[in-house]
PDB file of all heavy atoms in Angstrom:
ATOM      1  N   VAL A1282      29.917 -16.148  -5.499  1.00  0.00           N
ATOM      2  CA  VAL A1282      29.200 -15.604  -4.339  1.00  0.00           C
ATOM      3  C   VAL A1282      28.059 -16.539  -3.974  1.00  0.00           C
ATOM      4  O   VAL A1282      27.503 -17.237  -4.831  1.00  0.00           O
ATOM      5  CB  VAL A1282      28.698 -14.173  -4.669  1.00  0.00           C
ATOM      6  CG1 VAL A1282      27.637 -14.201  -5.763  1.00  0.00           C
ATOM      7  CG2 VAL A1282      28.211 -13.451  -3.453  1.00  0.00           C
ATOM      8  N   ASP A1283      27.736 -16.616  -2.700  1.00  0.00           N
ATOM      9  CA  ASP A1283      26.579 -17.364  -2.231  1.00  0.00           C
ATOM     10  C   ASP A1283      25.455 -16.377  -1.964  1.00  0.00           C
ATOM     11  O   ASP A1283      25.694 -15.281  -1.444  1.00  0.00           O
ATOM     12  CB  ASP A1283      26.894 -18.112  -0.933  1.00  0.00           C
ATOM     13  CG  ASP A1283      27.844 -19.289  -1.162  1.00  0.00           C
ATOM     14  OD1 ASP A1283      27.987 -19.729  -2.319  1.00  0.00           O
ATOM     15  OD2 ASP A1283      28.438 -19.765  -0.172  1.00  0.00           O
ATOM     16  N   PHE A1284      24.231 -16.773  -2.301  1.00  0.00           N
ATOM     17  CA  PHE A1284      23.067 -15.927  -2.040  1.00  0.00           C
ATOM     18  C   PHE A1284      22.139 -16.684  -1.107  1.00  0.00           C
ATOM     19  O   PHE A1284      21.727 -17.811  -1.414  1.00  0.00           O
ATOM     20  CB  PHE A1284      22.347 -15.563  -3.339  1.00  0.00           C
ATOM     21  CG  PHE A1284      21.084 -14.777  -3.133  1.00  0.00           C
ATOM     22  CD1 PHE A1284      21.122 -13.509  -2.570  1.00  0.00           C
ATOM     23  CD2 PHE A1284      19.845 -15.298  -3.485  1.00  0.00           C
ATOM     24  CE1 PHE A1284      19.955 -12.774  -2.359  1.00  0.00           C
ATOM     25  CE2 PHE A1284      18.670 -14.571  -3.289  1.00  0.00           C
ATOM     26  CZ  PHE A1284      18.736 -13.312  -2.722  1.00  0.00           C
ATOM     27  N   VAL A1285      21.849 -16.054   0.049  1.00  0.00           N
ATOM     28  CA  VAL A1285      20.943 -16.666   1.028  1.00  0.00           C
ATOM     29  C   VAL A1285      19.771 -15.718   1.234  1.00  0.00           C
ATOM     30  O   VAL A1285      19.984 -14.528   1.497  1.00  0.00           O
ATOM     31  CB  VAL A1285      21.680 -16.902   2.364  1.00  0.00           C
ATOM     32  CG1 VAL A1285      20.708 -17.382   3.432  1.00  0.00           C
ATOM     33  CG2 VAL A1285      22.810 -17.904   2.170  1.00  0.00           C
ATOM     34  N   SER A1286      18.580 -16.229   1.079  1.00  0.00           N
ATOM     35  CA  SER A1286      17.392 -15.367   1.177  1.00  0.00           C
ATOM     36  C   SER A1286      16.432 -15.883   2.243  1.00  0.00           C
ATOM     37  O   SER A1286      16.354 -17.084   2.512  1.00  0.00           O
ATOM     38  CB  SER A1286      16.675 -15.301  -0.172  1.00  0.00           C
ATOM     39  OG  SER A1286      16.171 -16.576  -0.532  1.00  0.00           O
ATOM     40  N   VAL A1287      15.725 -14.945   2.843  1.00  0.00           N
ATOM     41  CA  VAL A1287      14.663 -15.274   3.799  1.00  0.00           C
ATOM     42  C   VAL A1287      13.448 -14.425   3.421  1.00  0.00           C
ATOM     43  O   VAL A1287      13.497 -13.196   3.486  1.00  0.00           O
ATOM     44  CB  VAL A1287      15.074 -14.959   5.256  1.00  0.00           C
ATOM     45  CG1 VAL A1287      13.909 -15.210   6.204  1.00  0.00           C
ATOM     46  CG2 VAL A1287      16.287 -15.790   5.668  1.00  0.00           C
ATOM     47  N   GLU A1288      12.398 -15.096   2.962  1.00  0.00           N
ATOM     48  CA  GLU A1288      11.134 -14.389   2.726  1.00  0.00           C
ATOM     49  C   GLU A1288      10.252 -14.699   3.934  1.00  0.00           C
ATOM     50  O   GLU A1288       9.793 -15.828   4.108  1.00  0.00           O
ATOM     51  CB  GLU A1288      10.455 -14.864   1.427  1.00  0.00           C
ATOM     52  CG  GLU A1288      11.291 -14.676   0.172  1.00  0.00           C
ATOM     53  CD  GLU A1288      11.186 -13.270  -0.425  1.00  0.00           C
ATOM     54  OE1 GLU A1288      10.772 -12.334   0.302  1.00  0.00           O
ATOM     55  OE2 GLU A1288      11.518 -13.114  -1.611  1.00  0.00           O
ATOM     56  N   THR A1289      10.004 -13.711   4.762  1.00  0.00           N
ATOM     57  CA  THR A1289       9.376 -13.987   6.058  1.00  0.00           C
ATOM     58  C   THR A1289       7.875 -14.248   5.944  1.00  0.00           C
ATOM     59  O   THR A1289       7.328 -15.079   6.673  1.00  0.00           O
ATOM     60  CB  THR A1289       9.606 -12.826   7.025  1.00  0.00           C
ATOM     61  OG1 THR A1289       9.122 -11.616   6.411  1.00  0.00           O
ATOM     62  CG2 THR A1289      11.086 -12.661   7.330  1.00  0.00           C
ATOM     63  N   LEU A1290       7.199 -13.509   5.026  1.00  0.00           N
ATOM     64  CA  LEU A1290       5.735 -13.618   4.929  1.00  0.00           C
ATOM     65  C   LEU A1290       5.344 -13.692   3.460  1.00  0.00           C
ATOM     66  O   LEU A1290       6.044 -13.146   2.600  1.00  0.00           O
ATOM     67  CB  LEU A1290       5.066 -12.395   5.574  1.00  0.00           C
ATOM     68  CG  LEU A1290       5.365 -12.130   7.056  1.00  0.00           C
ATOM     69  CD1 LEU A1290       4.876 -10.733   7.443  1.00  0.00           C
ATOM     70  CD2 LEU A1290       4.693 -13.164   7.927  1.00  0.00           C
ATOM     71  N   ASP A1291       4.204 -14.333   3.184  1.00  0.00           N
ATOM     72  CA  ASP A1291       3.719 -14.331   1.803  1.00  0.00           C
ATOM     73  C   ASP A1291       2.911 -13.057   1.545  1.00  0.00           C
ATOM     74  O   ASP A1291       2.829 -12.183   2.415  1.00  0.00           O
ATOM     75  CB  ASP A1291       2.904 -15.604   1.498  1.00  0.00           C
ATOM     76  CG  ASP A1291       1.573 -15.676   2.242  1.00  0.00           C
ATOM     77  OD1 ASP A1291       1.134 -14.660   2.820  1.00  0.00           O
ATOM     78  OD2 ASP A1291       0.964 -16.762   2.256  1.00  0.00           O
ATOM     79  N   ARG A1292       2.292 -12.940   0.364  1.00  0.00           N
ATOM     80  CA  ARG A1292       1.651 -11.671   0.006  1.00  0.00           C
ATOM     81  C   ARG A1292       0.406 -11.386   0.842  1.00  0.00           C
ATOM     82  O   ARG A1292      -0.085 -10.265   0.841  1.00  0.00           O
ATOM     83  CB  ARG A1292       1.309 -11.624  -1.490  1.00  0.00           C
ATOM     84  CG  ARG A1292       0.217 -12.538  -1.968  1.00  0.00           C
ATOM     85  CD  ARG A1292       0.064 -12.406  -3.509  1.00  0.00           C
ATOM     86  NE  ARG A1292      -0.237 -11.048  -3.923  1.00  0.00           N
ATOM     87  CZ  ARG A1292      -1.457 -10.535  -4.019  1.00  0.00           C
ATOM     88  NH1 ARG A1292      -2.501 -11.282  -3.697  1.00  0.00           N
ATOM     89  NH2 ARG A1292      -1.640  -9.285  -4.415  1.00  0.00           N
ATOM     90  N   ASN A1293      -0.091 -12.406   1.534  1.00  0.00           N
ATOM     91  CA  ASN A1293      -1.224 -12.209   2.448  1.00  0.00           C
ATOM     92  C   ASN A1293      -0.771 -12.159   3.905  1.00  0.00           C
ATOM     93  O   ASN A1293      -1.579 -12.283   4.821  1.00  0.00           O
ATOM     94  CB  ASN A1293      -2.242 -13.333   2.257  1.00  0.00           C
ATOM     95  CG  ASN A1293      -2.839 -13.308   0.869  1.00  0.00           C
ATOM     96  OD1 ASN A1293      -3.236 -12.246   0.375  1.00  0.00           O
ATOM     97  ND2 ASN A1293      -2.880 -14.449   0.203  1.00  0.00           N
ATOM     98  N   GLN A1294       0.556 -12.002   4.077  1.00  0.00           N
ATOM     99  CA  GLN A1294       1.177 -11.885   5.397  1.00  0.00           C
ATOM    100  C   GLN A1294       1.040 -13.149   6.246  1.00  0.00           C
ATOM    101  O   GLN A1294       1.029 -13.075   7.474  1.00  0.00           O
ATOM    102  CB  GLN A1294       0.635 -10.658   6.151  1.00  0.00           C
ATOM    103  CG  GLN A1294       0.843  -9.374   5.357  1.00  0.00           C
ATOM    104  CD  GLN A1294       1.040  -8.137   6.208  1.00  0.00           C
ATOM    105  OE1 GLN A1294       1.489  -8.213   7.340  1.00  0.00           O
ATOM    106  NE2 GLN A1294       0.725  -6.988   5.659  1.00  0.00           N
ATOM    107  N   ASN A1295       0.985 -14.291   5.574  1.00  0.00           N
ATOM    108  CA  ASN A1295       1.081 -15.564   6.300  1.00  0.00           C
ATOM    109  C   ASN A1295       2.554 -15.928   6.418  1.00  0.00           C
ATOM    110  O   ASN A1295       3.343 -15.648   5.514  1.00  0.00           O
ATOM    111  CB  ASN A1295       0.334 -16.671   5.541  1.00  0.00           C
ATOM    112  CG  ASN A1295      -1.141 -16.356   5.412  1.00  0.00           C
ATOM    113  OD1 ASN A1295      -1.794 -15.987   6.381  1.00  0.00           O
ATOM    114  ND2 ASN A1295      -1.673 -16.486   4.197  1.00  0.00           N
ATOM    115  N   PRO A1296       2.958 -16.564   7.517  1.00  0.00           N
ATOM    116  CA  PRO A1296       4.389 -16.867   7.729  1.00  0.00           C
ATOM    117  C   PRO A1296       4.943 -17.798   6.651  1.00  0.00           C
ATOM    118  O   PRO A1296       4.273 -18.738   6.202  1.00  0.00           O
ATOM    119  CB  PRO A1296       4.410 -17.554   9.102  1.00  0.00           C
ATOM    120  CG  PRO A1296       3.124 -17.219   9.745  1.00  0.00           C
ATOM    121  CD  PRO A1296       2.128 -16.989   8.655  1.00  0.00           C
TER     122      PRO A1296
END
Side-chain angles (χ1 to χ4, degrees):
Chain A
V1282 66
D1283 289 342
F1284 176 64
V1285 173
S1286 64
V1287 176
E1288 301 276 19
T1289 56
L1290 301 168
D1291 68 12
R1292 69 183 302 272
N1293 296 314
Q1294 303 211 26
N1295 298 312

